Amino acid sequence: MNPEIISSRDNAWVKKLRALAQDGAAYRKLGQVWLEGDHLCRALLARGLQPQAVVLAQSAQVQVAQWGLDPSVRRVVLADGLMAQISSLESPAAMGFVHALPAATPLEPQLPSVVLDRLQDPGNVGSILRSAAAMGFKQVLALKGTAALWSPKVLRAGMGAHFALQLREGLSEADLEALRVPLLATSPHRGEFLHRAELPWPCAWLLGHEGQGVSDALLARAAMTLRIVQPGGEESLNAAAAAAVCLHASAARIA
Amino acid sequence: MNPEIISSRDNAWVKKLRALAQDGAAYRKLGQVWLEGDHLCRALLARGLQPQAVVLAQSAQVQVAQWGLDPSVRRVVLADGLMAQISSLESPAAMGFVHALPAATPLEPQLPSVVLDRLQDPGNVGSILRSAAAMGFKQVLALKGTAALWSPKVLRAGMGAHFALQLREGLSEADLEALRVPLLATSPHRGEFLHRAELPWPCAWLLGHEGQGVSDALLARAAMTLRIVQPGGEESLNAAAAAAVCLHASAARIA
């Protein structure tokens, strides 16, 4: 398919693209996500998935001819300058994909899982998805109030981990009752030290809001509460850093 | 001391404040740092340190009277709107401190240390400082090309960890030859698995650039190369997440 060249910022398709790139929750209405930058796009293809459209800046040096894109994928070239107007990133990329938002799958009760309880920061959420995928977790369950999982910022920070996981969002605490794996939580002041504990597998880690942590109601349902050793004193850890330590501890048990 | 009220954006002191808040490297010339938000300011006081000035937005509801500020600390009130113009944060705070940049201390050869080799992202660097402080490391050594440690974004992400650590920046690889503790590095493909290794203490962890990792020259000087187990496959970890896993592994050995 020959590429279409679009030069007007008022083009209807460009307007949709701008919404997907700049409004972190637009994908929920539009059913599509915006994957910006060649790393993220290649991660999609590496999973055997195909985008709906590939978007290139006119002066982009990216050669997608060798990427194995299906001939039916729409190809769009944007006039120089238009790409930068669309991006919400500090350093706009020269290309991106438009991809169909994966259909929501039912919660799987037995999968090793990560539960996100109102995490706010897109960088933290993306980092946690990467850690989850690397550490052998298969499912991420985001409660209402968590940063939108398919927003461009979370996608960017996730570096392709989205395509390796089953993601559910907008869940309530009641929805988690369907889980049939033990819930694990961290506490600064009580519980066994994580590095000495015998952790169950599969399990579901509860990861909480950057300031408030996991809700009391959820904490009460945890089968185990673990403590991260902090010989440096009462300093606190970044939420994604603490998550990495916990998920790695589980990975070390099954390795 | 009664507070001064400043309402002009052209006031010389306000201009300096704007430089400190918006130019991540301005502190190197001006010898002062900008601590924005009450969490960071309280973290300074909790370490027994006093700022040079406290800055409040006119309509701020923050009551600093009970904070234990020295009477000699300059108090400045900024007309509403001026504070938001100064901040470089997405959500500008209603108060901040101006603090003297701590004098650079000599590299201490025996301290448990973290070496930052050209890490770019201020959020990652701040998260690593928090992990380092919590995990019992005392010194952070940043090589040339690493994000400016005392920039507002790194300070914000560090949540006060800066005040618990000895920080050196602008170092060369040759400067590290003074270190008398073993250097540890991670590699995705070789070395012993981190969770099974007997790690030395004290040590210095080498943490590298988000995309390129630690330089080959530095890697060659590592006493040990460790691998982080990743049962989920070849997924990569965020740099600050990987750092947290490594520093925690050291903390678990000494706990």
Side-chain angles (χ1 to χ4, degrees), chain A residues 47 130 134 230 232 235-237, chain B residues 47 130 134 232 235-237:
Chain A
R47 292 274 161 192
R130 284 175 78 179
Q230 295 191 192
E235 304 293 331
S236 69
L237 293 170
Chain B
R47 293 273 160 193
R130 285 174 77 179
E235 304 293 331
S236 70
L237 293 169

Side-chain angles (χ1 to χ4, degrees), chain A residues 177-248:
Chain A
E177 285 167 20
L179 275 176
R180 287 291 164 270
V181 293
L183 302 181
L184 309 186
T186 59
S187 164
H189 304 300
R190 61 196 177 87
E192 197 175 353
F193 280 112
L194 177 69
H195 64 284
R196 292 191 196 136
E198 285 295 328
L199 300 177
W201 185 264
C203 68
W205 274 101
L206 301 175
L207 305 176
H209 181 278
E210 284 85 353
Q212 300 154 21
V214 171
S215 78
D216 289 341
L218 265 187
L219 264 187
R221 285 159 55 186
M224 280 178 90
T225 302
L226 289 309
R227 218 184 326 183
I228 297 176
V229 65
Q230 295 191 192
E234 79 304 341
E235 304 293 331
S236 69
L237 293 170
N238 162 273
V245 168
C246 292
L247 303 184
H248 175 259

Side-chain angles (χ1 to χ4, degrees), chain B residues 21-22 34-37 40 83-84 86-93 95 152-157:
Chain B
Q22 298 185 359
W34 169 237
L35 311 180
E36 187 167 333
L40 202 48
M83 195 76 174
I86 284 167
S87 175
S88 66
L89 302 177
E90 280 185 31
S91 313
M95 61 87 54
K153 283 183 186 173
V154 175
L155 276 161
R156 184 81 163 175

